[in-house]
Amino acid sequence: MLRICSLFTLILALSYGAASAQGIRGVLRVIDGDTFDVGGTRIRLHGIDALEAAQTCETEGGQPWACGDWTTRQVRERFQGAQTRCEALDQDRYGRTVARCFVRGADVGLQLVQEGLAFAYRKYSMDYDLDEKAAYVAARGIHGFKTISPARYRVTRRSGSAPERASGGCNIKGNISAKGTRIYHLPGQAFYDKTRINVKAGERWFCSEAEARGAGWRRAKR
């Protein structure tokens, strides 16, 4: 049995190595700011970390806005549908292929960090460290607003310390029904006061109806 397991492991390693050498090619479909589908393969971009979709930032005037959704839209506008080549480097704990990807010969991860659409993920790579610092100094993209890193945000969300009450003008409740339907409730609607937000279950607050609809929620009927 041990020999069989070892042989199976060796076959997987050789297959992954061959795929890495050949590269992954295809049309790019944006999942979020740092996760793509390319040629049927789920890709997690190497060395960068983009804002989570539910993250919000704060303007100089203290107004919240949906910078997580904004970041995903920006990445989608730039790269959705592009012919892409990716070099597989590793595999993460979710089974995604960690890769460096190129569109028209340019490193996608590098572009996102330089434009302030992603952070350098220093926990895993220092490749884009100086590029993020330059974007920060120039206040490009998300660096022009008050926010926290995606890694810190994920920690606070897992610990349950993510906000379960409205902050600033973000008082629209994004609820997920027992059937998985995403519905948002406006102040004054019938079930607004009764609706509770469970951030651990993926529910969230929105700052505007446009933001809620853009994230895939529909308005409550009453």
Side-chain angles (χ1 to χ4, degrees), residues 58-69:
E58 191 174 289
T59 67
E60 291 185 1
Q63 293 299 312
W65 70 287
C67 53
D69 282 336

Side-chain angles (χ1 to χ4, degrees), residues 13 22 35 50 90 109 111:
Q22 294 174 3
T35 307
D90 201 353
Q111 291 183 66

Side-chain angles (χ1 to χ4, degrees), residues 12 22 24 67 69 101 108 130 215:
L12 285 178
Q22 294 174 3
I24 301 165
C67 53
D69 282 336
C101 294
V108 174
L130 294 179

Side-chain angles (χ1 to χ4, degrees), residues 33-34 48-51 71 109 112-120 132 135 142-143:
D34 53 32
I48 77 166
D49 201 14
L51 295 179
T71 297
L112 295 180
V113 173
Q114 288 178 335
E115 293 181 29
L117 296 175
F119 290 81
E132 185 202 298
I142 55 178
H143 299 300

